[in-house]
Amino acid sequence: QSAYDAAWARGMELLSDDVQYGQGFVQSLAMVSVQMTGYMPSASLVPFESVPSMAAGLPHFASSWARCWGRDIFISLRGLYLATGRYSDAHSHIMAFASVLKHGMIPNLLSDGKLPRYNSRDSIWFFMQCIQDYTKMVPSGLDILKEKVDRRFLPYDDTHFDFDDPRAYSKKSTIEEIIQETLQRHATGLSFREANAGPNLDMQMKDEGFNIEIHVDWKTGIIFGGNQSNCGTWMDKMGESDRAGSRGVPGTPRDGAPVEITGLLASTLKWVAELYERGQYQFEGVTTENGDSITFKAWASRLQDSFERCYYVPRDPSQDGSYDVNSAIVNRRGIYKDLYRSGKEYEDYQLRPNFPIAMTVAPQLFTPEKALGALEMADKYLRGPT
C-alpha cells in the first residue's frame, strides 16, 4: 500500500494544477492517463525506437497491433493529455500520426508505423481537432504548426511501400502542410483500395469493404464516403457469424455523411480560416476536383448554410418542406439525423449519440432551441440509469 500511495502521489505531482488541486473524482479520472500510457515493446509510436504510447483499451487493446488506434487516441487525447497537462505526450502522438499521413488520412491501426491501415474516415477529423486544441491549450501551442515530421509515405502520393524502403521517411512536412494536405486531398476526393486487401488483412470483411471512396458535395460543403460493407467510424462492429448470415455485414456501416464528421470538418475549417486571416496559416483554401478554388471561409459558410436543412428533423411535420426530410420514414422528431444520405435511408433517422460531438466542436451550426430539444430527446431515450 505504501508503494502504491507513493506512486500515486508522484504521478499526481506531474499532472496539471487543475488536477493536483481538484476533487478526488477529477484526480482519479486524470490518473487513467497513467494507466493508459507506457512503454510497450510490441507497440511503439514509431518503428525504430521505443516510444510510450496510449492504449486503446485495457486489457484487450493493450499490445502489438491492437494497442494504438488513431481514432481512439484522438478521441481521448484532449482529456487524457491536454486537460491533465501532459503536453509532451500529446505532442509525441500528434507528431507520430502526422508522420504516417496517407490518402489525406491517418491510420486507424498504427502498428508502429510499419503496417498502418487506412480504413477509418473519422480518425483524421478527430486528429485535426486535437491539433487545434493543442494550439489553444498548450503554451506557445501554435509553434507546432511549423514543426516538421519525417513522412512514412510520400506527400500527395498513394504508393504503398514497406517501412524499410529507401523512400520511407525520406521526405519532411510541417504540421501546417499536413493539415493542408488533409484538406486538399478531401477537397479533390479520395478513391483507393486498402493496401494488402484480403482475408490476411481482415478475415471478416467482404471484398468491396476494402474500397474507400470519399468526396465533397460542393453544393452543401458536406463530405460523403464509405459503403455498406465497411465500418468507417467508431461504431465499427463487423458481423462475424456465418450461421446468422452476418459475416462481413457491419452493424452500423454509417456510410454517407456522419453528423460528427460534418461537425469536426466545420470546426477545422473555421479554425484554419481564422488562422489565415491572422497571418498564422499560409493557405487560404483548396482546389476542388474540377479545378475551382474555394477559400476555407467560403467552405465553412456552405456548411453553415446547409447543416440544419440537411440534418434536422423538425418537431412539426408541417415544417418538413423546409428541411431535407422524408416524412414517410421519420420515426422520431426534434432530433438531428445521425447520417445524411446513407446507403439505407432509414439509418439516417436513427437517434444516436453522435450529434453532441458536432455540437461540442461546432456549436455555430446549431440553433440553440433545436439543439436543446435534441439533447432532451437523447437524455430521455439514450441515457441509461444513473
Side-chain angles (χ1 to χ4, degrees):
Q1 184 65 45
S2 295
Y4 175 84
D5 291 342
W8 177 281
R10 178 54 181 157
M12 198 58 56
E13 290 176 0
L14 300 176
L15 300 178
S16 66
D17 288 347
D18 288 341
V19 174
Q20 292 185 45
Y21 301 105
Q23 297 177 338
F25 179 62
V26 171
Q27 293 180 343
S28 295
L29 283 176
M31 287 298 285
V32 173
S33 71
V34 176
Q35 292 176 290
M36 304 300 289
T37 309
Y39 289 95
M40 178 61 62
S42 63
S44 177
L45 287 177
V46 294
F48 303 113
E49 61 179 311
S50 181
V51 177
S53 60
M54 184 195 297
L58 301 176
H60 300 297
F61 298 98
S63 63
S64 190
W65 63 267
R67 182 176 178 88
C68 294
W69 295 65
R71 172 190 297 136
D72 301 61
I73 284 173
F74 293 106
I75 288 175
S76 307
L77 186 138
R78 179 186 173 105
L80 292 184
Y81 290 159
L82 295 179
T84 59
R86 299 185 62 161
Y87 301 145
S88 177
D89 290 300
H91 180 273
S92 64
H93 282 74
I94 288 172
M95 299 300 279
F97 276 85
S99 75
V100 290
L101 186 81
K102 185 186 182 190
H103 312 295
M105 304 167 72
I106 62 167
N108 198 29
L109 293 173
L110 180 62
S111 298
D112 302 342
K114 296 178 181 178
L115 292 170
R117 185 179 179 189
Y118 300 85
N119 67 323
S120 62
R121 292 180 288 118
D122 59 349
S123 300
I124 184 62
W125 300 110
F126 284 112
F127 173 72
M128 298 284 269
Q129 183 65 39
C130 282
I131 298 175
Q132 178 184 167
D133 292 342
Y134 183 96
T135 66
K136 295 179 177 179
M137 297 176 69
V138 177
S140 301
L142 272 172
D143 292 348
I144 197 174
L145 298 183
K146 303 303 180 184
E147 294 188 45
K148 293 183 177 181
V149 293
D150 296 322
R151 298 292 296 270
R152 166 69 174 83
F153 298 103
L154 301 176
Y156 292 93
D157 191 325
D158 292 346
T159 305
H160 180 80
F161 43 79
D162 293 335
F163 76 99
D164 54 359
D165 186 283
R167 292 168 291 180
Y169 304 104
S170 65
K171 302 293 183 181
K172 294 180 181 291
S173 296
T174 64
I175 296 300
E176 181 182 31
E177 290 167 340
I178 293 292
I179 295 169
Q180 184 63 22
E181 184 174 338
T182 295
L183 293 166
Q184 181 57 65
R185 290 300 305 271
H186 280 78
T188 51
L190 305 173
S191 180
F192 66 93
R193 184 169 171 82
E194 285 193 70
N196 304 311
N200 289 334
L201 180 64
D202 191 322
M203 64 184 299
Q204 311 297 344
M205 187 174 286
K206 294 179 180 179
D207 185 73
E208 56 267 31
F210 295 107
N211 300 325
I212 309 296
E213 302 280 345
I214 299 174
H215 71 278
V216 179
D217 171 15
W218 288 111
K219 292 181 180 179
T220 61
I222 294 173
I223 290 178
F224 292 82
N227 63 58
Q228 287 281 304
S229 295
N230 61 35
C231 312
T233 73
W234 72 274
M235 304 181 90
D236 61 351
K237 176 57 183 173
M238 178 66 78
E240 301 179 6
S241 173
D242 290 321
R243 184 176 180 181
S246 66
R247 182 180 294 277
V249 179
T252 47
R254 303 193 76 228
D255 57 322
V259 64
E260 74 276 18
I261 290 181
T262 303
L264 289 160
L265 169 65
S267 174
T268 298
L269 293 173
K270 180 175 181 289
W271 173 54
V272 293
E274 291 171 350
L275 288 179
Y276 175 79
E277 290 180 349
R278 296 199 299 263
Q280 296 171 319
Y281 188 82
Q282 64 178 302
F283 306 100
E284 186 178 13
V286 291
T287 303
T288 72
E289 67 273 23
N290 296 324
D292 300 324
S293 295
I294 183 170
T295 66
F296 295 125
K297 187 175 182 179
W299 189 354
S301 179
R302 292 188 190 184
L303 279 178
Q304 181 73 40
D305 293 342
S306 63
F307 180 78
E308 288 201 324
R309 179 180 61 80
C310 295
Y311 283 97
Y312 188 64
V313 181
R315 290 176 179 268
D316 185 349
S318 68
Q319 297 177 358
D320 284 0
S322 299
Y323 300 89
D324 193 351
V325 168
N326 182 346
S327 305
I329 61 173
V330 170
N331 57 72
R332 201 180 300 277
R333 291 187 170 275
I335 68 169
Y336 288 89
K337 298 175 189 174
D338 186 57
L339 306 162
Y340 182 55
R341 295 184 178 176
S342 65
K344 297 189 185 78
E345 189 179 13
Y346 73 87
E347 293 181 348
D348 291 12
Y349 296 87
Q350 293 179 324
L351 177 61
R352 289 178 178 152
N354 294 303
F355 73 89
I357 299 173
M359 199 175 288
T360 299
V361 298
Q364 71 275 10
L365 296 178
F366 295 80
T367 301
E369 181 181 2
K370 295 173 183 174
L372 182 59
L375 288 172
E376 289 174 347
M377 295 288 281
D379 184 66
K380 181 177 181 180
Y381 294 108
L382 295 182
R383 181 176 62 85
T386 58

PDB file of all heavy atoms in Angstrom, residues 205-230:
ATOM      1  N   MET A 205     -14.201  -9.045 -43.415  1.00  0.00           N
ATOM      2  CA  MET A 205     -14.733  -8.071 -44.355  1.00  0.00           C
ATOM      3  C   MET A 205     -14.968  -8.642 -45.746  1.00  0.00           C
ATOM      4  O   MET A 205     -14.169  -9.434 -46.246  1.00  0.00           O
ATOM      5  CB  MET A 205     -13.782  -6.858 -44.443  1.00  0.00           C
ATOM      6  CG  MET A 205     -14.331  -5.705 -45.273  1.00  0.00           C
ATOM      7  SD  MET A 205     -13.261  -4.254 -45.217  1.00  0.00           S
ATOM      8  CE  MET A 205     -13.614  -3.661 -43.567  1.00  0.00           C
ATOM      9  N   LYS A 206     -16.057  -8.220 -46.367  1.00  0.00           N
ATOM     10  CA  LYS A 206     -16.302  -8.555 -47.763  1.00  0.00           C
ATOM     11  C   LYS A 206     -15.333  -7.786 -48.650  1.00  0.00           C
ATOM     12  O   LYS A 206     -14.811  -6.743 -48.271  1.00  0.00           O
ATOM     13  CB  LYS A 206     -17.742  -8.199 -48.146  1.00  0.00           C
ATOM     14  CG  LYS A 206     -18.807  -9.021 -47.425  1.00  0.00           C
ATOM     15  CD  LYS A 206     -20.200  -8.567 -47.853  1.00  0.00           C
ATOM     16  CE  LYS A 206     -21.283  -9.375 -47.145  1.00  0.00           C
ATOM     17  NZ  LYS A 206     -22.643  -8.910 -47.538  1.00  0.00           N
ATOM     18  N   ASP A 207     -15.136  -8.287 -49.858  1.00  0.00           N
ATOM     19  CA  ASP A 207     -14.137  -7.690 -50.739  1.00  0.00           C
ATOM     20  C   ASP A 207     -14.400  -6.209 -50.992  1.00  0.00           C
ATOM     21  O   ASP A 207     -13.475  -5.386 -50.977  1.00  0.00           O
ATOM     22  CB  ASP A 207     -14.108  -8.443 -52.070  1.00  0.00           C
ATOM     23  CG  ASP A 207     -13.008  -7.954 -52.987  1.00  0.00           C
ATOM     24  OD1 ASP A 207     -11.830  -8.245 -52.721  1.00  0.00           O
ATOM     25  OD2 ASP A 207     -13.332  -7.255 -53.960  1.00  0.00           O
ATOM     26  N   GLU A 208     -15.659  -5.843 -51.196  1.00  0.00           N
ATOM     27  CA  GLU A 208     -15.959  -4.444 -51.512  1.00  0.00           C
ATOM     28  C   GLU A 208     -15.720  -3.514 -50.326  1.00  0.00           C
ATOM     29  O   GLU A 208     -15.600  -2.293 -50.484  1.00  0.00           O
ATOM     30  CB  GLU A 208     -17.409  -4.297 -52.005  1.00  0.00           C
ATOM     31  CG  GLU A 208     -18.461  -4.822 -51.061  1.00  0.00           C
ATOM     32  CD  GLU A 208     -18.859  -6.272 -51.326  1.00  0.00           C
ATOM     33  OE1 GLU A 208     -18.011  -7.047 -51.790  1.00  0.00           O
ATOM     34  OE2 GLU A 208     -20.029  -6.614 -51.070  1.00  0.00           O
ATOM     35  N   GLY A 209     -15.627  -4.094 -49.133  1.00  0.00           N
ATOM     36  CA  GLY A 209     -15.382  -3.278 -47.953  1.00  0.00           C
ATOM     37  C   GLY A 209     -13.998  -2.658 -47.913  1.00  0.00           C
ATOM     38  O   GLY A 209     -13.760  -1.688 -47.176  1.00  0.00           O
ATOM     39  N   PHE A 210     -13.065  -3.197 -48.692  1.00  0.00           N
ATOM     40  CA  PHE A 210     -11.702  -2.664 -48.728  1.00  0.00           C
ATOM     41  C   PHE A 210     -11.586  -1.436 -49.637  1.00  0.00           C
ATOM     42  O   PHE A 210     -10.525  -0.818 -49.690  1.00  0.00           O
ATOM     43  CB  PHE A 210     -10.728  -3.742 -49.209  1.00  0.00           C
ATOM     44  CG  PHE A 210     -10.606  -4.912 -48.264  1.00  0.00           C
ATOM     45  CD1 PHE A 210     -11.175  -6.146 -48.590  1.00  0.00           C
ATOM     46  CD2 PHE A 210      -9.932  -4.790 -47.062  1.00  0.00           C
ATOM     47  CE1 PHE A 210     -11.058  -7.234 -47.732  1.00  0.00           C
ATOM     48  CE2 PHE A 210      -9.811  -5.868 -46.196  1.00  0.00           C
ATOM     49  CZ  PHE A 210     -10.379  -7.094 -46.528  1.00  0.00           C
ATOM     50  N   ASN A 211     -12.652  -1.107 -50.350  1.00  0.00           N
ATOM     51  CA  ASN A 211     -12.628   0.041 -51.253  1.00  0.00           C
ATOM     52  C   ASN A 211     -13.063   1.300 -50.507  1.00  0.00           C
ATOM     53  O   ASN A 211     -14.138   1.327 -49.894  1.00  0.00           O
ATOM     54  CB  ASN A 211     -13.552  -0.200 -52.447  1.00  0.00           C
ATOM     55  CG  ASN A 211     -13.142  -1.420 -53.255  1.00  0.00           C
ATOM     56  OD1 ASN A 211     -11.957  -1.715 -53.383  1.00  0.00           O
ATOM     57  ND2 ASN A 211     -14.117  -2.135 -53.795  1.00  0.00           N
ATOM     58  N   ILE A 212     -12.246   2.328 -50.557  1.00  0.00           N
ATOM     59  CA  ILE A 212     -12.521   3.567 -49.837  1.00  0.00           C
ATOM     60  C   ILE A 212     -12.819   4.683 -50.835  1.00  0.00           C
ATOM     61  O   ILE A 212     -12.016   4.970 -51.724  1.00  0.00           O
ATOM     62  CB  ILE A 212     -11.322   3.984 -48.958  1.00  0.00           C
ATOM     63  CG1 ILE A 212     -10.858   2.809 -48.084  1.00  0.00           C
ATOM     64  CG2 ILE A 212     -11.669   5.209 -48.128  1.00  0.00           C
ATOM     65  CD1 ILE A 212     -11.867   2.336 -47.067  1.00  0.00           C
ATOM     66  N   GLU A 213     -13.979   5.286 -50.695  1.00  0.00           N
ATOM     67  CA  GLU A 213     -14.392   6.399 -51.555  1.00  0.00           C
ATOM     68  C   GLU A 213     -14.851   7.553 -50.663  1.00  0.00           C
ATOM     69  O   GLU A 213     -15.681   7.373 -49.774  1.00  0.00           O
ATOM     70  CB  GLU A 213     -15.548   5.988 -52.477  1.00  0.00           C
ATOM     71  CG  GLU A 213     -15.257   4.799 -53.374  1.00  0.00           C
ATOM     72  CD  GLU A 213     -14.447   5.191 -54.608  1.00  0.00           C
ATOM     73  OE1 GLU A 213     -14.377   6.410 -54.893  1.00  0.00           O
ATOM     74  OE2 GLU A 213     -13.916   4.279 -55.265  1.00  0.00           O
ATOM     75  N   ILE A 214     -14.321   8.740 -50.907  1.00  0.00           N
ATOM     76  CA  ILE A 214     -14.696   9.932 -50.146  1.00  0.00           C
ATOM     77  C   ILE A 214     -14.766  11.114 -51.102  1.00  0.00           C
ATOM     78  O   ILE A 214     -13.882  11.275 -51.947  1.00  0.00           O
ATOM     79  CB  ILE A 214     -13.684  10.233 -49.020  1.00  0.00           C
ATOM     80  CG1 ILE A 214     -13.619   9.060 -48.012  1.00  0.00           C
ATOM     81  CG2 ILE A 214     -14.037  11.527 -48.292  1.00  0.00           C
ATOM     82  CD1 ILE A 214     -12.538   9.219 -46.951  1.00  0.00           C
ATOM     83  N   HIS A 215     -15.814  11.926 -50.990  1.00  0.00           N
ATOM     84  CA  HIS A 215     -15.920  13.098 -51.853  1.00  0.00           C
ATOM     85  C   HIS A 215     -16.710  14.196 -51.156  1.00  0.00           C
ATOM     86  O   HIS A 215     -17.430  13.946 -50.178  1.00  0.00           O
ATOM     87  CB  HIS A 215     -16.613  12.734 -53.175  1.00  0.00           C
ATOM     88  CG  HIS A 215     -18.079  12.450 -53.023  1.00  0.00           C
ATOM     89  ND1 HIS A 215     -18.565  11.221 -52.612  1.00  0.00           N
ATOM     90  CD2 HIS A 215     -19.178  13.237 -53.211  1.00  0.00           C
ATOM     91  CE1 HIS A 215     -19.884  11.257 -52.562  1.00  0.00           C
ATOM     92  NE2 HIS A 215     -20.286  12.462 -52.921  1.00  0.00           N
ATOM     93  N   VAL A 216     -16.574  15.414 -51.658  1.00  0.00           N
ATOM     94  CA  VAL A 216     -17.309  16.561 -51.132  1.00  0.00           C
ATOM     95  C   VAL A 216     -18.460  16.900 -52.073  1.00  0.00           C
ATOM     96  O   VAL A 216     -18.287  16.938 -53.295  1.00  0.00           O
ATOM     97  CB  VAL A 216     -16.395  17.797 -50.985  1.00  0.00           C
ATOM     98  CG1 VAL A 216     -17.193  18.994 -50.446  1.00  0.00           C
ATOM     99  CG2 VAL A 216     -15.212  17.502 -50.079  1.00  0.00           C
ATOM    100  N   ASP A 217     -19.629  17.124 -51.511  1.00  0.00           N
ATOM    101  CA  ASP A 217     -20.740  17.697 -52.267  1.00  0.00           C
ATOM    102  C   ASP A 217     -20.613  19.211 -52.126  1.00  0.00           C
ATOM    103  O   ASP A 217     -20.894  19.780 -51.062  1.00  0.00           O
ATOM    104  CB  ASP A 217     -22.069  17.212 -51.690  1.00  0.00           C
ATOM    105  CG  ASP A 217     -23.260  17.935 -52.291  1.00  0.00           C
ATOM    106  OD1 ASP A 217     -23.089  18.597 -53.344  1.00  0.00           O
ATOM    107  OD2 ASP A 217     -24.354  17.868 -51.707  1.00  0.00           O
ATOM    108  N   TRP A 218     -20.175  19.879 -53.180  1.00  0.00           N
ATOM    109  CA  TRP A 218     -19.866  21.304 -53.067  1.00  0.00           C
ATOM    110  C   TRP A 218     -21.101  22.183 -52.992  1.00  0.00           C
ATOM    111  O   TRP A 218     -21.001  23.380 -52.682  1.00  0.00           O
ATOM    112  CB  TRP A 218     -18.943  21.729 -54.206  1.00  0.00           C
ATOM    113  CG  TRP A 218     -17.563  21.175 -54.004  1.00  0.00           C
ATOM    114  CD1 TRP A 218     -16.946  20.207 -54.736  1.00  0.00           C
ATOM    115  CD2 TRP A 218     -16.656  21.533 -52.957  1.00  0.00           C
ATOM    116  NE1 TRP A 218     -15.696  19.931 -54.214  1.00  0.00           N
ATOM    117  CE2 TRP A 218     -15.492  20.738 -53.125  1.00  0.00           C
ATOM    118  CE3 TRP A 218     -16.692  22.443 -51.903  1.00  0.00           C
ATOM    119  CZ2 TRP A 218     -14.398  20.827 -52.274  1.00  0.00           C
ATOM    120  CZ3 TRP A 218     -15.615  22.542 -51.050  1.00  0.00           C
ATOM    121  CH2 TRP A 218     -14.476  21.744 -51.238  1.00  0.00           C
ATOM    122  N   LYS A 219     -22.284  21.617 -53.228  1.00  0.00           N
ATOM    123  CA  LYS A 219     -23.497  22.410 -53.028  1.00  0.00           C
ATOM    124  C   LYS A 219     -23.723  22.671 -51.536  1.00  0.00           C
ATOM    125  O   LYS A 219     -24.239  23.722 -51.157  1.00  0.00           O
ATOM    126  CB  LYS A 219     -24.708  21.681 -53.619  1.00  0.00           C
ATOM    127  CG  LYS A 219     -24.695  21.590 -55.147  1.00  0.00           C
ATOM    128  CD  LYS A 219     -25.936  20.875 -55.655  1.00  0.00           C
ATOM    129  CE  LYS A 219     -25.925  20.784 -57.176  1.00  0.00           C
ATOM    130  NZ  LYS A 219     -27.120  20.054 -57.695  1.00  0.00           N
ATOM    131  N   THR A 220     -23.334  21.705 -50.728  1.00  0.00           N
ATOM    132  CA  THR A 220     -23.544  21.823 -49.278  1.00  0.00           C
ATOM    133  C   THR A 220     -22.238  21.977 -48.507  1.00  0.00           C
ATOM    134  O   THR A 220     -22.249  22.432 -47.365  1.00  0.00           O
ATOM    135  CB  THR A 220     -24.257  20.573 -48.736  1.00  0.00           C
ATOM    136  OG1 THR A 220     -23.434  19.406 -48.988  1.00  0.00           O
ATOM    137  CG2 THR A 220     -25.608  20.387 -49.410  1.00  0.00           C
ATOM    138  N   GLY A 221     -21.115  21.547 -49.097  1.00  0.00           N
ATOM    139  CA  GLY A 221     -19.837  21.534 -48.392  1.00  0.00           C
ATOM    140  C   GLY A 221     -19.631  20.296 -47.543  1.00  0.00           C
ATOM    141  O   GLY A 221     -18.603  20.169 -46.871  1.00  0.00           O
ATOM    142  N   ILE A 222     -20.586  19.371 -47.569  1.00  0.00           N
ATOM    143  CA  ILE A 222     -20.537  18.181 -46.718  1.00  0.00           C
ATOM    144  C   ILE A 222     -19.682  17.093 -47.365  1.00  0.00           C
ATOM    145  O   ILE A 222     -19.739  16.885 -48.581  1.00  0.00           O
ATOM    146  CB  ILE A 222     -21.968  17.662 -46.454  1.00  0.00           C
ATOM    147  CG1 ILE A 222     -22.746  18.681 -45.623  1.00  0.00           C
ATOM    148  CG2 ILE A 222     -21.943  16.316 -45.740  1.00  0.00           C
ATOM    149  CD1 ILE A 222     -24.220  18.337 -45.453  1.00  0.00           C
ATOM    150  N   ILE A 223     -18.912  16.374 -46.548  1.00  0.00           N
ATOM    151  CA  ILE A 223     -18.090  15.259 -47.020  1.00  0.00           C
ATOM    152  C   ILE A 223     -18.875  13.957 -46.899  1.00  0.00           C
ATOM    153  O   ILE A 223     -19.437  13.650 -45.839  1.00  0.00           O
ATOM    154  CB  ILE A 223     -16.782  15.166 -46.213  1.00  0.00           C
ATOM    155  CG1 ILE A 223     -15.857  16.346 -46.552  1.00  0.00           C
ATOM    156  CG2 ILE A 223     -16.067  13.847 -46.476  1.00  0.00           C
ATOM    157  CD1 ILE A 223     -14.561  16.354 -45.767  1.00  0.00           C
ATOM    158  N   PHE A 224     -18.895  13.189 -47.986  1.00  0.00           N
ATOM    159  CA  PHE A 224     -19.555  11.884 -48.025  1.00  0.00           C
ATOM    160  C   PHE A 224     -18.520  10.785 -48.249  1.00  0.00           C
ATOM    161  O   PHE A 224     -17.456  11.028 -48.827  1.00  0.00           O
ATOM    162  CB  PHE A 224     -20.590  11.832 -49.157  1.00  0.00           C
ATOM    163  CG  PHE A 224     -21.772  12.726 -48.941  1.00  0.00           C
ATOM    164  CD1 PHE A 224     -21.707  14.075 -49.254  1.00  0.00           C
ATOM    165  CD2 PHE A 224     -22.952  12.223 -48.415  1.00  0.00           C
ATOM    166  CE1 PHE A 224     -22.797  14.905 -49.059  1.00  0.00           C
ATOM    167  CE2 PHE A 224     -24.053  13.049 -48.221  1.00  0.00           C
ATOM    168  CZ  PHE A 224     -23.971  14.399 -48.539  1.00  0.00           C
ATOM    169  N   GLY A 225     -18.868   9.569 -47.826  1.00  0.00           N
ATOM    170  CA  GLY A 225     -17.944   8.470 -48.077  1.00  0.00           C
ATOM    171  C   GLY A 225     -18.459   7.153 -47.537  1.00  0.00           C
ATOM    172  O   GLY A 225     -19.552   7.055 -46.973  1.00  0.00           O
ATOM    173  N   GLY A 226     -17.631   6.108 -47.720  1.00  0.00           N
ATOM    174  CA  GLY A 226     -17.949   4.788 -47.201  1.00  0.00           C
ATOM    175  C   GLY A 226     -18.877   4.000 -48.094  1.00  0.00           C
ATOM    176  O   GLY A 226     -19.325   4.458 -49.146  1.00  0.00           O
ATOM    177  N   ASN A 227     -19.183   2.789 -47.660  1.00  0.00           N
ATOM    178  CA  ASN A 227     -20.182   1.951 -48.316  1.00  0.00           C
ATOM    179  C   ASN A 227     -20.780   1.011 -47.289  1.00  0.00           C
ATOM    180  O   ASN A 227     -20.350   0.981 -46.129  1.00  0.00           O
ATOM    181  CB  ASN A 227     -19.585   1.207 -49.523  1.00  0.00           C
ATOM    182  CG  ASN A 227     -18.490   0.230 -49.147  1.00  0.00           C
ATOM    183  OD1 ASN A 227     -18.695  -0.689 -48.346  1.00  0.00           O
ATOM    184  ND2 ASN A 227     -17.292   0.395 -49.724  1.00  0.00           N
ATOM    185  N   GLN A 228     -21.761   0.233 -47.715  1.00  0.00           N
ATOM    186  CA  GLN A 228     -22.491  -0.626 -46.788  1.00  0.00           C
ATOM    187  C   GLN A 228     -21.686  -1.844 -46.320  1.00  0.00           C
ATOM    188  O   GLN A 228     -22.163  -2.623 -45.492  1.00  0.00           O
ATOM    189  CB  GLN A 228     -23.802  -1.080 -47.429  1.00  0.00           C
ATOM    190  CG  GLN A 228     -24.859  -0.005 -47.525  1.00  0.00           C
ATOM    191  CD  GLN A 228     -25.581   0.227 -46.217  1.00  0.00           C
ATOM    192  OE1 GLN A 228     -26.151  -0.697 -45.637  1.00  0.00           O
ATOM    193  NE2 GLN A 228     -25.568   1.462 -45.728  1.00  0.00           N
ATOM    194  N   SER A 229     -20.454  -1.989 -46.818  1.00  0.00           N
ATOM    195  CA  SER A 229     -19.648  -3.156 -46.442  1.00  0.00           C
ATOM    196  C   SER A 229     -18.432  -2.805 -45.595  1.00  0.00           C
ATOM    197  O   SER A 229     -17.605  -3.665 -45.321  1.00  0.00           O
ATOM    198  CB  SER A 229     -19.182  -3.906 -47.700  1.00  0.00           C
ATOM    199  OG  SER A 229     -20.281  -4.459 -48.393  1.00  0.00           O
ATOM    200  N   ASN A 230     -18.296  -1.542 -45.202  1.00  0.00           N
ATOM    201  CA  ASN A 230     -17.201  -1.243 -44.272  1.00  0.00           C
ATOM    202  C   ASN A 230     -17.676  -0.337 -43.146  1.00  0.00           C
ATOM    203  O   ASN A 230     -18.738   0.279 -43.203  1.00  0.00           O
ATOM    204  CB  ASN A 230     -15.972  -0.658 -44.981  1.00  0.00           C
ATOM    205  CG  ASN A 230     -16.236   0.656 -45.690  1.00  0.00           C
ATOM    206  OD1 ASN A 230     -17.010   1.486 -45.243  1.00  0.00           O
ATOM    207  ND2 ASN A 230     -15.568   0.841 -46.828  1.00  0.00           N
TER     208      ASN A 230
END
